Amino acid sequence: VFSDALQQRCPIIATPAGDLPRLYRKGRFGVLAGQISAEAIAAAIRAALAAEARGFQQALAPLCAEFDLGRVSTRLLDTLFRKGG
């Protein structure tokens, strides 16, 4: 869902689970909740609604490139079928 939203250039509201905090540091893709709780998610939603959506577009660009389907597919195929691998 994360990469699908990126490809649509849609700002994302997320909780700090898995790789999302690291990815958020790379490019502020939207709003990252302070913790994993209903209250923190509600606060993140309020923050996202108060923000200017266009402000997220520039931050989304590097992550969109990283999650580009063509680029990811090429890396996967190179890894799976690397000569001598």
Side-chain angles (χ1 to χ4, degrees), residues 81-85:
F81 300 108
R82 187 172 299 145
K83 291 184 180 177

Side-chain angles (χ1 to χ4, degrees), residues 1-12 29 57 60-73 75:
V1 172
F2 180 81
S3 62
D4 292 340
L6 281 178
Q7 296 312 312
Q8 295 301 312
R9 302 275 199 266
C10 180
I12 299 163
F29 51 72
Q57 296 306 310
L60 290 170
L63 287 173
C64 289
E66 185 174 336
F67 283 87
D68 175 72
L69 184 57
R71 185 176 173 186
V72 170
S73 299
R75 282 193 333 234

Side-chain angles (χ1 to χ4, degrees), residues 9-71:
R9 302 275 199 266
C10 180
I12 299 163
I13 300 168
T15 59
D19 285 345
L20 292 175
R22 179 184 61 81
L23 292 169
Y24 188 74
R25 287 188 298 274
K26 282 179 107 171
R28 301 202 182 272
F29 51 72
V31 177
L32 184 67
Q35 59 183 348
I36 302 173
S37 71
E39 294 82 13
I41 294 168
I45 291 170
R46 284 191 295 277
L49 290 172
E52 178 71 36
R54 286 180 283 175
F56 295 117
Q57 296 306 310
Q58 188 175 18
L60 290 170
L63 287 173
C64 289
E66 185 174 336
F67 283 87
D68 175 72
L69 184 57
R71 185 176 173 186

